[in-house]
Amino acid sequence: MTIGIGASMIAYRLGLQSTHNPGPGFLPFGIASLLALMSIFMCIRSLFRTAKGSSAEGIFEEIKWAKVLSVLGILLGYGIFFNFLGFPISTFILMLLLVGVIGQQKWRSTIVISLVTVIFGYLIFILLLGLPFPRGFLGI
């Protein structure tokens, strides 16, 4: 909840503008606000369950922490190598690791999903929206 509120405040300082002309903080503000709201609702739900006397069902009991930490590490690596490898290669590797290793899907499905993600990402962000993503050391 604290992270959501803090990120909302930072995004607000970046500038929201309007829905027809969004500023750089518009999307991060919306996402961070949703994170904060969902956290608040989870806290309230937990308080009601505890007040009713039901068995204290821990929010974090059944989380597979190894997977969570693996995903965070993969996303950190994606951010670190994004400029060096470029958008297509780093996104392809990201999806291979998330879908194939973490999601434990079959490798054929993993490769197809990774390729489709890169192709649609390229079409949407680079061709349609004209965003200048890094090409990486191979120039792709």
Side-chain angles (χ1 to χ4, degrees):
M1 180 172 56
T2 305
I3 292 171
I5 292 170
S8 295
M9 291 169 53
I10 293 169
Y12 183 79
R13 289 184 197 149
L14 289 174
L16 302 179
Q17 302 298 335
S18 68
T19 54
H20 299 294
N21 184 22
F26 187 78
L27 188 60
F29 178 80
I31 293 170
S33 298
L34 284 174
L35 175 66
L37 284 173
M38 287 190 294
S39 299
I40 290 168
F41 286 128
M42 286 182 71
C43 288
I44 291 171
R45 184 180 73 175
S46 178
L47 288 173
F48 279 126
R49 284 187 179 170
T50 305
K52 285 182 180 178
S54 63
S55 62
E57 184 181 300
I59 296 173
F60 301 109
E61 279 181 7
E62 295 186 24
I63 294 178
K64 296 177 180 165
W65 289 104
K67 282 192 175 188
V68 171
L69 294 175
S70 298
V71 169
L72 289 175
I74 290 168
L75 291 174
L76 179 66
Y78 180 72
I80 291 171
F81 292 107
F82 186 74
N83 286 331
F84 178 70
L85 295 175
F87 170 73
I89 294 173
S90 60
T91 303
F92 184 76
I93 293 171
L94 169 76
M95 294 307 295
L96 279 178
L97 293 172
L98 289 179
V99 176
V101 177
I102 304 298
Q104 298 176 340
Q105 298 295 317
K106 293 180 182 177
W107 283 106
R108 183 176 174 173
S109 309
T110 300
I111 291 171
V112 169
I113 291 169
S114 300
L115 284 173
V116 168
T117 301
V118 170
I119 291 168
F120 275 107
Y122 185 84
L123 291 173
I124 292 170
F125 293 113
I126 296 174
L127 294 182
L128 184 65
L129 297 175
L131 297 176
F133 280 171
R135 293 183 176 264
F137 72 98
L138 293 176
I140 299 174

